[in-house]
Amino acid sequence: MQRFFKPLRALGLGLLLGAAPLAAAHGEKNHADKDPTLFSGLESGAGKTVLAFHRALREGDQQTVMDALADAVVIFEGGGVERSASEYAGHHLPADMAFLKQMNITQRELQVREQGDLAYAYGRAQVQGEFKGKALDLQSMETLVLARTGDGWKIVHVHWSSK
């Protein structure tokens, strides 16, 4: 796995800007009527992994979420960091899935770019709904970095933010 993290430096810190808590989790939902230039790369191998990850988060499918994540994934969310898939599964994943099930998510942009054995995805979404008695209307942003492995594309870094 170490060989996948070295090339991340080449992508630069600008790539790791930011993304949506609980993400623009996202997905392909509600983007058919949007500008097609804001949605690209979804048919690629990395794009399919991103879409499966988004769908699984929304549907509460923990196994598919875990299958999409590298064991050593690093997740930046809500000002915190989780440094493995198992740490995420034991902490924020159940809450993220519960939250997303209650939200209406309109994906505004989702682009995936493959560059050799690395890929990145970035997206923006409108997240609306009620959670724990509070009405929410959030703009969420997401950046994902993926690495091609013997088991297909795996997400090695997630950065979610919203306002």
Side-chain angles (χ1 to χ4, degrees), residues 40-154:
S40 64
L42 305 183
E43 68 290 338
S44 68
K48 290 176 182 176
T49 298
V50 169
L51 292 175
F53 177 67
H54 288 171
R55 190 172 24 260
L57 280 170
R58 280 194 324 272
E59 294 175 357
D61 179 353
Q62 183 167 335
Q63 185 59 55
T64 300
V65 169
M66 297 302 288
D67 289 346
L69 297 174
D71 292 340
V73 66
V74 176
I75 300 172
F76 294 160
E77 175 182 19
V81 61
E82 291 170 316
R83 290 182 171 81
S84 70
S86 61
E87 184 178 350
Y88 179 56
H91 294 115
H92 287 113
L93 177 56
D96 286 356
M97 291 187 302
F99 173 81
L100 292 170
K101 277 187 169 188
Q102 297 183 40
M103 295 295 111
N104 179 32
I105 297 153
T106 303
Q107 194 75 42
R108 302 284 186 208
E109 179 175 12
L110 183 57
Q111 302 204 35
V112 181
R113 304 278 187 270
E114 291 183 9
Q115 296 179 341
D117 286 338
L118 288 177
Y120 61 94
Y122 56 91
R124 301 176 298 116
Q126 185 77 32
V127 179
Q128 299 172 310
E130 187 172 313
F131 188 69
K132 295 185 178 180
K134 183 177 179 182
L136 298 174
D137 187 359
L138 304 170
Q139 298 292 319
S140 92
M141 298 184 61
E142 169 185 68
T143 303
L144 304 174
V145 178
L146 298 89
R148 188 188 325 259
T149 72
D151 295 324
W153 288 98
K154 296 289 184 177

